[in-house]
Amino acid sequence: MIAPQIYPAYSTAGASPIVLLHGWGFSAASMAPLIEPLRQVRDVWCVDLPGFGDQPSLESFDVDSLMGFLAECLPVKACLVGWSLGGVLALTYAERFPARVDAVVSLAVNGKFVASADWPEAMERKVNRLFSHGFAAEPTATLKRFCGLVAQGSWDERARLRSLRALMQLPESGQLPSWRAGLELLSKSDLRLVLHNLNLPCLHILAEGDGLVPASAQQDLGGLNRLHRVECVADAGHAVHWDQSAYVAQLITAFLLPAGAGSQPSQLDKRWVAKSFSRAAASYDSAARLQRQVGERLLTRLRSSAGPVIDLGSGTGHFLTELRQLNPGAELLALDIAEGMLSHSRRCQRPADAWLCADAEALPFAAGSIDTFFSSLAIQWCEDLLQLFSELLRSLHPGGQLCLSTLTEGTLLELTRAWQAVDGYVHVNHFVTVDVLREALLGAGFVDINIQQEPVVLHCASLRELSTELKSLGAHNVNTGRPKGLTGRMRLAKLEAAYERERTVSGLPVTYQVCYIQAYKPQ
């Protein structure tokens, strides 16, 4: 037996570890997007299932043998996170050994994998049978088709297909019986009674575009046990933890927090932040006049580095070329919560050494491993500033620098005033004060803090032009208090009339309060 790979937590909370169980056709490497974010809260264990990855096959790949394998290699107490086949096994293990499980998170798992008369929202039996027969006859060709099914529904199917095919290792002849038995296990899986009786905290995450586990199963799945929570993630396919890694990690982390630790409702919807910026990627640079102006000013404040440099909230990668010129010998990484932005940056051949999709409040870096964080107009999309700055400080090595710009209170003042004349909804994103930023930096432990605030006033010819620009930037309202549905014509007419009172000879003013920050980790 190959022992699990263990990734120690960055905190010292002492809670039971998180065990990641992968899906059919892959290995523990397929759970990589969740490792670093989840290490923020607990130890993370990664396990290769028998006959997959480097794990030797069992004599029999049946449920009893697999439960025995897991009981032998898993910790005495754990939180299980399982994807597809791994989720089926995680839930079955929790039923068999409830005293050894604190909670279960399933990714892309259905009550039944194959449809039946009493569970129609599942894979069609004919499709499942054709796939199983195809794998028995032509494993290599069938696995390529399987990767296509897993990628289906992703916001970038081509990129996801490439990454999945790179992850998948074709089975050796000795592993084929385990792979065939795994398909048989899935086709016969019926977790309805297990889910109904499982008296443990459970979170089931489905994907809106999943080609294997239909999102339409959400209601039926939730009806099996009212104590269980079911979430459906937009712009994602079967590999939901790859398509929306930051959001899925956030869901899991919040679910595993002790009662009360994360109970305050977030005013900023991270999923909509990622989705908005992903959709805006193609049009972003043409509309980003403020971003270019502020970023250029920020670059003049940056000290060159020999160690790793992170462009945090890199967007389309517009500043990567200049960051490379300023830091010619340093490793340069682009990090953003929106995979659409990162994909666009790669297509534009920006000069980064790697592109990372992650949440700035749960960074995927070892402690003391980074020399410089550069971030222009990105952290206004982070809500927990103390958590953000603590993560940045943890990742920096002693003496490492933080160089960033953000927007503060008073930004979009004219638009806020105009909306206040119309209704009481939250139509403009919330921006913090300079004092709040300073307190969070000090609380995290930064020293030599330098903060300068400058107003930047741009002008638009019309409200429509401003609205188009904000949408092109992905910067329209993403607060949870935003009104649902379309804004009516009458209300828009009232808004236009209210904003017209702000007009000057240069056009409709749009004020941005820009804050430039430099700070350092103590030596």
Side-chain angles (χ1 to χ4, degrees), residues 179-320:
W179 288 51
R180 294 192 192 103
L183 282 179
E184 182 72 10
L185 190 154
L186 276 172
S187 66
K188 292 181 177 179
S189 69
D190 186 344
L191 296 170
R192 290 176 293 178
L193 189 59
V194 171
L195 291 165
H196 180 270
N197 294 331
L198 196 56
N199 191 25
L200 285 170
C202 289
L203 169 64
H204 308 295
I205 300 177
L206 303 179
E208 193 177 77
D210 196 331
L212 298 172
V213 176
S216 53
Q218 180 179 5
Q219 184 174 354
D220 291 341
L221 191 60
L224 293 173
N225 192 322
R226 296 300 181 184
L227 298 177
H228 293 186
R229 178 177 158 196
V230 184
E231 294 280 349
C232 190
V233 178
D235 295 330
H238 194 65
V240 59
H241 59 302
W242 281 84
D243 293 330
Q244 297 293 346
S245 54
Y247 181 63
V248 170
Q250 183 186 21
L251 283 175
I252 297 171
T253 302
F255 175 69
L256 296 180
L257 282 174
S263 58
Q264 292 300 316
S266 173
Q267 293 302 306
L268 201 62
D269 190 330
K270 289 285 186 75
R271 179 166 62 107
W272 278 96
V273 171
K275 185 175 181 179
S276 295
F277 279 97
S278 288
R279 288 179 171 175
S283 61
Y284 190 89
D285 283 339
S286 62
R289 49 180 178 158
L290 175 73
Q291 281 73 359
R292 289 193 296 271
Q293 178 179 329
V294 173
E296 294 295 339
R297 287 181 62 81
L298 186 64
L299 284 166
T300 65
R301 301 164 186 255
L302 188 66
R303 181 191 70 188
S304 63
S305 302
V309 176
I310 309 301
D311 186 353
L312 188 76
S314 58
T316 62
H318 179 81
F319 298 109
L320 289 171

Side-chain angles (χ1 to χ4, degrees), residues 29-340:
S30 65
M31 305 303 288
L34 297 179
I35 294 173
E36 290 298 324
L38 297 184
R39 289 179 72 189
Q40 310 300 318
V41 292
R42 303 193 183 199
D43 291 347
V44 176
W45 292 37
C46 288
V47 180
D48 274 331
L49 296 175
F52 295 86
D54 296 325
Q55 196 69 248
S57 298
L58 297 174
E59 287 187 14
S60 176
F61 195 92
D62 56 53
V63 172
D64 290 337
S65 299
L66 290 166
M67 292 302 103
F69 167 82
L70 292 175
E72 184 176 350
C73 72
L74 296 193
V76 174
K77 197 82 167 176
C79 295
L80 306 181
V81 178
W83 174 40
S84 196
L85 173 61
V88 172
L89 297 179
L91 290 163
T92 306
Y93 182 87
E95 182 202 29
R96 293 275 185 101
F97 308 104
R100 296 186 62 172
V101 179
D102 280 335
V104 180
V105 178
S106 71
L107 307 175
V109 174
N110 205 343
K112 284 189 73 178
F113 190 72
V114 177
S116 59
D118 57 351
W119 193 269
E121 303 300 334
M123 178 184 286
E124 292 182 18
R125 183 167 298 279
K126 179 181 179 181
V127 173
N128 176 257
R129 186 167 56 249
L130 288 173
F131 183 83
S132 297
H133 290 165
F135 181 74
E138 297 181 342
T140 301
T142 304
L143 286 174
K144 287 183 178 180
R145 290 195 294 273
F146 174 67
C147 284
L149 285 171
V150 177
Q152 181 181 319
S154 170
W155 60 269
D156 189 346
E157 288 192 22
R158 288 185 179 181
R160 182 62 57 240
L161 181 59
R162 288 194 298 270
S163 62
L164 290 171
R165 285 180 173 171
L167 278 172
M168 180 173 280
Q169 296 178 340
L170 296 177
E172 299 176 0
S173 58
Q175 295 176 312
L176 280 171
S178 295
W179 288 51
R180 294 192 192 103
L183 282 179
E184 182 72 10
L185 190 154
L186 276 172
S187 66
K188 292 181 177 179
S189 69
D190 186 344
L191 296 170
R192 290 176 293 178
L193 189 59
V194 171
L195 291 165
H196 180 270
N197 294 331
L198 196 56
N199 191 25
L200 285 170
C202 289
L203 169 64
H204 308 295
I205 300 177
L206 303 179
E208 193 177 77
D210 196 331
L212 298 172
V213 176
S216 53
Q218 180 179 5
Q219 184 174 354
D220 291 341
L221 191 60
L224 293 173
N225 192 322
R226 296 300 181 184
L227 298 177
H228 293 186
R229 178 177 158 196
V230 184
E231 294 280 349
C232 190
V233 178
D235 295 330
H238 194 65
V240 59
H241 59 302
W242 281 84
D243 293 330
Q244 297 293 346
S245 54
Y247 181 63
V248 170
Q250 183 186 21
L251 283 175
I252 297 171
T253 302
F255 175 69
L256 296 180
L257 282 174
S263 58
Q264 292 300 316
S266 173
Q267 293 302 306
L268 201 62
D269 190 330
K270 289 285 186 75
R271 179 166 62 107
W272 278 96
V273 171
K275 185 175 181 179
S276 295
F277 279 97
S278 288
R279 288 179 171 175
S283 61
Y284 190 89
D285 283 339
S286 62
R289 49 180 178 158
L290 175 73
Q291 281 73 359
R292 289 193 296 271
Q293 178 179 329
V294 173
E296 294 295 339
R297 287 181 62 81
L298 186 64
L299 284 166
T300 65
R301 301 164 186 255
L302 188 66
R303 181 191 70 188
S304 63
S305 302
V309 176
I310 309 301
D311 186 353
L312 188 76
S314 58
T316 62
H318 179 81
F319 298 109
L320 289 171
T321 298
E322 289 171 271
L323 285 170
R324 172 65 77 202
Q325 293 169 353
L326 286 170
N327 307 279
E331 183 181 14
L332 180 58
L333 306 178
L335 184 148
D336 203 282
I337 196 173
E339 290 207 30

